[in-house]
Amino acid sequence: MMFFLEKKDLPELLRRAGAFFEIIAPVPINGEPQLVSWKGGDLALSSPNPLMPPTRLFLPPRETLFAYLQESGLYTFEVPEVGNRLIVGVRPCDLQALSMLDRIMLSDPADELYSKRRRSTAIIALNCTEPSDSCFCAQMGAGPEADEGFDLLLTDLGERYLLETGSPAGIMLANLSEELLERGDDAEKRRLMRESRERIMSARPWLSQDRMRSRLREIDWRSLSKECISCGGCSFVCPTCHCFTIADLGLPDGERIRCADSCILSGFHRMASGANPKARPEERLLSWYMEKLEHMLIRTGMPGCVGCGRCDRVCFSGLHRTDIFR
Amino acid sequence: MDAIETTCVYCGCGCGLYLHVENNRIIAVTPSMKPPASGRLCAKGWLLHGFVNHPERLREPLIRRGDRHVQTSWSEALSFIASSFAEIKRDYGPDALAVLTSAKATNEENYLLMKLCRAALGSNNIDNVARLCHAPTLFALGSSLGSGSMTNPIESLLYSDVIMITGSNTTEQHPAVALHIMEARRNGARIIVMDPRRTQMAEIADLHLQMRPGTDIALLNAILNIVIQEGMIDEEFIRSRTEGFDDIRDRLAEYTPEVVERICDVPAELIRDAAVMYGGAEAAAIVYAMGITQHAHGTDNVQAIVNLALATGNLGRDGSGIYPLRGHQNVQGACDMGALPDYYTGYQRVSEFREKFEDAWNVELPVSRGRSAIEIMSSAGSDIRGLYISGENPALSYPDSSRIREALESLDLLVVSDIFPTETTRMADVILPVASFAEKYGTVTSTERKVQLIRKAIDPPGSALPEWVVAARLLEIFGVSSDYNSSADVMREIAALTPSYGGISHERLERGGIHWPCPTQEHPGTPVLYRDGFLRGRAVFRHVDQRSLDDERFTLIIGRSQYHFHTGSMTRRVSILERELPEAFVDMNPKDAAALGIRNGTGLILESERGTIRARARLSDGVREGILFMPFHFRESPANLLTKWQLDQFSKIPALKMVSVSIRREDA
Ligand code: SF4
Ligand code: SF4
Ligand code: SF4
Ligand code: SF4
């Protein structure tokens, strides 16, 4: 179903949804868009996509799996609770990353916390009418328009939004604000999305998945990686990255935590003997791109890069420019 | 979910970042887009969420009973501290008391601890960790130029044509500065690295002068000598803005490239290339860190840098300047706040400004000369009987660790505040649990003199308190004015007493950081110093000479790694950082190793005049023959057991950077 929603009415629609969900949305904090609990103030829906990918709400960079308490030799465990959430403003690239993560984290045996969070979260996606310079989702087949994976979908038409439903939960959410909605059509949206797609394509007309894959082994990773400081930033912001490590902190009481790990870091590859097959940054960078462009594709049927451009935004050495595939 | 913008707790770069918080826990970190981070962080920054919520955090005040520490209440702990200090003061006089403040604490906390030491305890024995890193900078830049701090902001490096880096492993220790250097390089700037080790910066540099360690003065003097010979000095600048050039000009003549080649073991040609490159630049910057300062001739090293910059007029303009890189988040601020034996806030000398502070605080202030950190330690148990250490771990970070441990053990009262148990808290009579950077409000001053806010993101664990609250409560017990409801109140008092911070307030900082000096509310701050002249009128040249070096088989250079910070009390609790570097290593040239039958991973015993430690060898052609390198983060291989109490005569910094050692295989 398609509706028009006046921009000024979006907060009211969210407020009503707030009776059932914690609303998480991009909000300007000291001038920068951040994904936080929305408490009725300004939204940052027309800012660039926040650096922290929404996929990290399902697999946080640091989370407690459970706390353990020891009493006279017996252990009891406390598992964190998961509440209902509605994430607003998820971009098509991140939506695609999320469905790729689903194929990994929910395949047998499903990750318990991830699947709990996934089940209790609803999503209002946002099509991109104003892509950033670093975006190349169109070339990766991930954006700038979402076609599935959301409960509701917004497209900014200027004065108003086009609101589309994508699931029974989305229809229910729309029904809560029925009188704010007006039946609509997607003629304007289609025009805007065509323009947006063209903008992204024309910024890098030569870029394609095939192009990237065939260039992988030709790139001089060694000289490219000379300035890489192995900060891990590229993998910490990548919406499809999902490696983690687990540690037990504290004795006799404490907690088992899970935190984001990164194959960009050398210690990730070091073996128990001390030998390291990927001791040099150029080896790790190549393997990172192979993982994104080849291995994830084989494993999930979807490419591991959705073209969000975040790795480029945080890289010290500026080496994640798509130019390297030219 | 919440996201709170704050400032990184580790190095002095002062990167802005957002802490993402869920249920009073930090779950993620992302960089702020504002400078100097501009959307980037180093691995320590990205993984800042790793230690704050660690279950080993100190949660309750602890007090020594026999050889155990037992839990106590804040009021009991504080009144015990106050009465013990008062007793020592009565029996031995106020000069038997001392305070060491923390480069991890905020400006407000350093200020209140300084006030506590001077106004409540009545002693000028106050110092901070800057004594171990940039005391020579404070002395040399202060006496030559007028201010002992970085002359230009980090972003100014983007305007440099040439950047000379000496004694700094910038990519690992000051990543945000490295970021700017690399960006300048991509835009055409040329890079000169002077370092005995082939660091990552050296790899990408245009010139790498891989000199013998400890020969910085000879090298810098030779460079200046060539610059003079080639007529590349800025005569107008020298005439109008400096004094003393003629005195040094003649004495430099003996530092010819050929003579210096023999001292430094760097080809004369390379020295000449570096001189011509630096001397020929429109705007050239010199970046340095602990490789320059942590020597018994640290002040002279810095002076050699100052001479070179002055002679070429490379001060007071964008892209020029001298960049002493500060190692801790707030080591600049700790000095600014007067946590120094001879200064009140803003480098107002105790000898000149005592009355001003007496009037403001309404107490009589001590006149006796204060002791520096190293002097405090060396007289602990004799002249010094009571010591308050805020968030530092001298048992691992100071030279000659066994001597430090003895000193700390012989005190009548040792109070240590920290966020985690450390080698030093273990020896304390009272342990105070304090809030981490993520659990309090306040300001910190980064290496570029930029005062920035830290904001509270979560509650402290247990009954831990922000240290400014602890200091304020102690002040109250001693009957000194301490009517603060927030750290913003403390900053108001600092601003009123400190000309360079006069225009700084938390309200203003909400809109972004400000570079001091910032004398008034309307003043925009001063990113570049000396645009219109030097504070002391004319800048001064001072000639410095190379000292002779011990001729030992092995010189051990001691430094840090990019994945750990200082004594590791925070980073070693971050599982991924600990995984990256779980133990110390000794970098060694493969030729040396072959001669001694040492392989990668062989256990080594290192022995100096002072002590013996163990660590594994890591073969690397990045170090010259005869040179070893190891980090000091690890309590299992405490490098500072080896170092000596050899002090720089001007700044009293100990020679922590290098020590002569002998090595042997563990199984031999
Ligand atoms: S590889 Fe880079 S552009 Fe691709 S999804 Fe990851 S962060 Fe985005
Ligand atoms: S990459 Fe595409 S979908 Fe993602 S934010 Fe940019 S334009 Fe939107
Ligand atoms: S963000 Fe850039 S510098 Fe950091 S690890 Fe990735 S490639 Fe290296
Ligand atoms: S460069 Fe320094 S301030 Fe920036 S993130 Fe790293 S440790 Fe923190």
Side-chain angles (χ1 to χ4, degrees):
Chain A
M1 282 185 280
M2 290 180 203
F3 307 97
F4 292 128
L5 168 70
E6 293 301 316
K7 276 196 169 165
K8 64 166 179 32
D9 290 335
L10 178 63
E12 179 55 27
L13 180 142
L14 296 182
R15 243 187 303 277
R16 292 181 192 178
F20 307 92
F21 296 97
E22 178 193 5
I23 311 281
I24 301 211
V27 162
I29 297 189
N30 303 327
E32 299 179 31
Q34 299 292 347
L35 277 179
V36 298
S37 305
W38 178 74
K39 309 204 176 75
D42 290 347
L43 290 163
L45 290 175
S46 45
S47 308
N49 205 3
L51 263 185
M52 181 160 93
T55 47
R56 285 296 178 189
L57 295 171
F58 302 92
L59 186 62
R62 186 189 200 272
E63 64 179 328
T64 303
L65 297 178
F66 55 81
Y68 45 88
L69 287 163
Q70 190 262 147
E71 224 173 308
S72 28
L74 281 182
Y75 272 101
T76 51
F77 303 94
E78 265 172 38
V79 181
E81 285 184 22
V82 172
N84 292 338
R85 284 177 155 174
L86 171 64
I87 312 179
V88 184
V90 178
R91 309 297 176 109
C93 55
D94 291 335
L95 213 50
Q96 166 132 338
L98 189 60
S99 67
M100 204 214 73
L101 283 191
D102 285 350
R103 296 190 188 185
I104 295 171
M105 303 299 288
L106 299 178
S107 67
D108 210 26
D111 185 271
E112 219 175 291
L113 260 175
Y114 182 93
S115 81
K116 253 200 224 168
R117 291 205 176 95
R118 197 65 179 94
R119 278 199 310 270
S120 45
T121 306
I123 288 176
I124 302 187
L126 173 69
N127 276 333
C128 290
T129 46
E130 292 287 338
S132 305
D133 294 342
S134 50
C135 298
F136 57 102
C137 54
Q139 287 88 335
M140 305 310 286
E145 182 177 357
D147 41 36
E148 57 179 4
F150 51 82
D151 297 291
L152 289 173
L153 171 65
L154 293 167
T155 309
D156 187 336
L157 306 177
E159 296 292 288
R160 57 189 179 180
Y161 290 111
L162 180 70
L163 182 78
E164 297 169 78
T165 56
S167 74
I171 296 175
M172 222 185 64
L173 276 172
N175 282 343
L176 289 176
S177 297
E178 221 177 345
E179 84 285 6
L180 302 176
L181 306 175
E182 184 190 320
R183 284 248 159 227
D185 64 76
D186 63 357
E188 174 73 352
K189 163 188 147 175
R190 275 186 291 158
R191 185 181 66 77
L192 287 169
M193 292 325 299
R194 204 169 43 241
E195 280 176 20
S196 172
R197 178 182 306 277
E198 273 162 20
R199 228 167 101 184
I200 298 172
M201 293 301 281
S202 62
R204 297 169 179 85
W206 43 268
L207 187 68
S208 70
Q209 291 183 52
D210 284 343
R211 170 96 205 142
M212 289 170 90
R213 272 192 291 274
S214 65
R215 280 281 292 144
L216 266 183
R217 284 171 186 82
E218 298 163 18
I219 293 171
D220 178 2
W221 293 103
R222 174 145 210 178
S223 57
L224 199 64
S225 68
K226 272 201 155 161
E227 294 184 6
C228 169
I229 64 157
S230 301
C231 65
C234 44
S235 69
F236 293 134
V237 291
C238 178
T240 69
C241 274
H242 53 273
C243 286
F244 55 76
T245 184
I246 287 180
D248 289 347
L249 305 182
L251 273 176
D253 302 340
E255 47 188 41
R256 174 162 298 177
I257 60 148
R258 162 156 80 181
C259 47
D261 204 341
S262 163
C263 62
I264 286 291
L265 302 176
S266 156
F268 184 93
H269 302 274
R270 192 181 59 237
M271 294 185 269
S273 68
N276 193 333
K278 297 207 170 72
R280 300 194 54 90
E282 66 259 30
E283 295 158 340
R284 301 195 292 273
L285 277 164
L286 172 60
S287 90
W288 196 68
Y289 274 106
M290 300 240 303
E291 174 73 11
K292 299 278 167 213
L293 298 170
E294 293 185 352
H295 302 163
M296 285 192 189
L297 188 66
I298 296 168
R299 253 197 306 167
T300 67
M302 299 167 88
C305 172
V306 295
C308 72
R310 286 187 178 93
C311 50
D312 187 24
R313 284 163 71 190
V314 301
C315 182
F316 253 84
S317 57
L319 71 84
H320 287 295
R321 298 173 322 256
T322 45
D323 281 6
I324 61 174
F325 295 103
R326 200 156 181 163
Chain B
M1 281 291 296
D2 215 342
I4 290 97
E5 194 182 26
T6 188
T7 309
C8 177
V9 73
Y10 293 120
C11 86
C13 290
C15 294
L17 43 82
Y18 285 84
L19 299 176
H20 299 266
V21 172
E22 190 182 345
N23 300 328
N24 208 35
R25 280 162 182 269
I26 301 172
I27 62 155
V29 176
T30 55
S32 148
M33 298 312 285
K34 304 171 188 87
S38 314
R40 279 82 153 195
L41 295 174
C42 74
K44 293 190 292 292
W46 282 108
L47 295 170
L48 252 183
H49 49 71
F51 75 85
V52 179
N53 294 107
H54 198 287
E56 280 165 20
R57 283 286 302 275
L58 293 169
R59 304 167 65 88
E60 305 295 333
L62 301 171
I63 196 161
R64 176 177 296 282
R65 293 270 179 271
D67 46 15
R68 290 192 327 131
H69 283 118
V70 298
Q71 188 172 323
T72 180
S73 68
W74 273 104
S75 51
E76 219 166 288
L78 294 182
S79 55
F80 175 75
I81 294 169
S83 61
S84 307
F85 275 143
E87 217 171 282
I88 296 172
K89 190 170 165 178
R90 194 190 57 219
D91 297 346
Y92 301 94
D95 290 341
L97 301 175
V99 176
L100 294 179
T101 73
S102 172
K104 288 278 155 291
T106 61
N107 287 325
E108 291 78 0
E109 291 167 335
N110 272 285
Y111 172 79
L112 288 186
L113 288 172
M114 186 277 284
K115 186 171 176 181
L116 177 75
C117 186
R118 294 195 154 113
L121 306 183
S123 162
N124 281 322
N125 297 334
I126 179 162
D127 208 353
N128 76 85
V129 75
R131 187 66 54 199
L132 278 71
C133 52
H134 271 298
T137 298
L138 214 58
F139 191 92
L141 297 192
S143 62
S144 267
L145 310 178
S147 172
S149 49
M150 198 151 124
T151 63
N152 290 45
I154 297 173
E155 277 174 285
S156 180
L157 289 166
L158 298 175
Y159 303 96
S160 308
D161 315 312
V162 170
I163 301 170
M164 178 184 273
I165 305 165
T166 172
S168 156
N169 182 2
T170 328
T171 48
E172 295 211 21
Q173 296 318 324
H174 296 90
V177 173
L179 165 72
H180 287 77
I181 296 175
M182 296 195 293
E183 220 162 289
R185 175 177 166 269
R186 286 197 280 279
N187 296 328
R190 281 169 306 163
I191 313 293
I192 306 169
V193 170
M194 313 201 299
D195 201 310
R197 303 165 64 207
R198 197 169 70 237
T199 57
Q200 190 175 11
M201 261 312 166
E203 295 265 2
I204 61 171
D206 296 86
L207 300 178
H208 178 204
L209 282 56
Q210 195 168 7
M211 80 264 234
R212 281 176 66 197
T215 60
D216 312 78
I217 295 177
L219 194 53
L220 288 160
N221 278 356
I223 289 175
L224 179 50
N225 186 22
I226 298 165
V227 167
I228 296 172
Q229 304 302 328
E230 297 288 324
M232 290 171 135
I233 53 174
D234 186 338
E235 309 230 3
E236 168 57 25
F237 186 92
I238 295 174
R239 194 176 49 245
S240 61
R241 299 181 60 175
T242 71
E243 63 194 39
F245 181 64
D246 293 336
D247 298 342
I248 76 159
R249 172 195 288 247
D250 301 337
R251 298 172 67 186
L252 281 169
E254 61 181 275
Y255 288 89
T256 64
E258 291 68 29
V259 168
V260 169
E261 166 168 341
R262 285 194 296 278
I263 302 176
C264 303
D265 199 15
V266 174
E269 237 359 82
L270 204 52
I271 305 178
R272 205 166 272 125
D273 289 348
V276 171
M277 195 179 275
Y278 180 84
E282 237 349 89
I286 305 180
V287 173
Y288 73 90
M290 248 90 295
I292 283 291
T293 56
Q294 286 179 331
H295 295 277
H297 48 273
T299 305
D300 286 357
N301 279 355
V302 179
Q303 186 64 45
I305 289 174
V306 174
N307 290 347
L308 183 57
L310 280 178
T312 50
N314 272 312
L315 283 165
R317 289 180 289 123
D318 292 319
S320 71
I322 301 178
Y323 288 74
L325 304 181
R326 298 289 188 140
H328 290 249
Q329 174 201 40
N330 198 33
V331 66
Q332 177 70 53
C335 296
D336 296 348
M337 291 303 108
L340 294 169
D342 33 5
Y343 295 100
Y344 298 117
T345 60
Y347 309 96
Q348 303 176 78
R349 283 192 177 280
V350 169
S351 50
E352 282 171 57
F353 290 90
R354 188 164 46 86
E355 274 172 29
K356 168 177 170 181
F357 282 82
E358 286 183 334
D359 290 347
W361 294 341
N362 201 16
V363 287
E364 214 171 284
L365 290 174
V367 284
S368 54
R369 194 191 71 90
R371 291 170 199 253
S372 72
I374 298 297
E375 294 167 319
I376 291 170
M377 286 296 175
S378 62
S379 42
S382 54
D383 293 352
I384 301 286
R385 324 282 314 186
L387 177 60
Y388 184 119
I389 300 178
S390 154
E392 294 289 348
N393 189 8
L396 219 51
S397 62
Y398 277 49
D400 196 354
S401 313
S402 12
R403 183 161 163 191
I404 294 289
R405 278 168 213 229
E406 275 165 36
L408 292 176
E409 264 161 14
S410 60
L411 289 163
D412 296 348
L413 179 71
L414 175 62
V415 181
V416 182
S417 66
D418 211 318
I419 62 172
F420 285 115
T422 66
E423 290 67 28
T424 306
T425 58
R426 211 162 295 149
M427 284 177 267
D429 299 298
V430 186
I431 305 175
L432 302 176
V434 288
S436 76
F437 81 108
E439 298 151 356
K440 63 190 177 188
Y441 289 98
T443 65
V444 290
T445 306
S446 71
T447 186
E448 50 176 346
R449 289 176 285 105
K450 193 176 188 183
V451 189
Q452 309 190 95
L453 280 182
I454 60 165
R455 295 185 180 86
K456 181 174 178 200
I458 57 174
D459 294 324
S463 60
L465 290 174
E467 194 149 26
W468 70 264
V469 176
V470 179
R473 282 176 64 177
L474 281 170
L475 280 168
E476 196 186 319
I477 300 180
F478 279 97
V480 180
S481 66
S482 64
D483 198 9
Y484 315 106
N485 291 315
S486 64
S487 64
D489 283 349
V490 183
M491 184 44 83
R492 269 186 277 281
E493 184 171 317
I494 296 169
L497 284 168
T498 314
S500 53
Y501 277 68
I504 289 178
S505 65
H506 285 209
E507 294 73 30
R508 270 189 85 181
L509 294 175
E510 279 293 342
R511 299 191 295 275
I514 301 174
H515 297 265
W516 66 254
C518 172
T520 62
Q521 279 289 342
E522 295 71 39
H523 194 286
T526 315
V528 179
L529 290 180
Y530 317 131
R531 269 197 202 281
D532 317 307
F534 291 102
L535 302 179
R536 56 182 311 288
R538 281 167 179 275
V540 222
F541 286 93
R542 180 171 70 81
H543 179 73
V544 288
D545 271 319
Q546 175 69 40
R547 314 256 178 101
S548 58
L549 296 171
D550 309 348
D551 210 11
E552 291 293 332
R553 176 74 185 91
F554 284 105
T555 302
L556 173 68
I557 302 181
I558 297 172
R560 306 193 291 185
S561 118
Q562 80 181 107
Y563 292 115
H564 285 295
F565 190 80
H566 219 57
T567 63
S569 61
M570 294 178 283
T571 50
R572 294 202 68 195
R573 288 184 170 91
V574 179
S575 34
I576 291 185
L577 294 176
E578 179 69 356
R579 194 263 323 272
E580 285 307 300
L581 191 65
E583 62 172 10
F585 56 83
V586 181
D587 275 342
M588 182 175 203
N589 188 287
K591 288 196 190 129
D592 287 337
L596 293 167
I598 291 166
R599 305 202 306 182
N600 219 358
T602 304
L604 299 182
I605 306 285
L606 290 84
E607 194 169 348
S608 80
E609 245 173 68
R610 291 290 155 194
T612 307
I613 61 171
R614 164 193 188 279
R616 281 181 205 281
R618 194 173 84 170
L619 304 199
S620 154
D621 51 16
V623 289
R624 302 165 44 111
E625 283 171 63
I627 305 298
L628 307 168
F629 171 84
M630 83 178 287
F632 72 85
H633 313 293
F634 298 89
R635 79 184 85 80
E636 305 87 336
S637 306
N640 278 319
L641 270 181
L642 304 175
T643 47
K644 297 187 282 192
W645 288 64
Q646 209 181 3
L647 302 191
D648 175 66
Q649 58 167 322
F650 303 104
S651 66
K652 307 284 189 297
I653 194 173
L656 285 158
K657 187 43 74 182
M658 38 186 245
V659 58
S660 304
V661 294
S662 63
I663 50 175
R664 59 172 195 273
R665 282 178 22 198
E666 198 174 19
D667 52 12

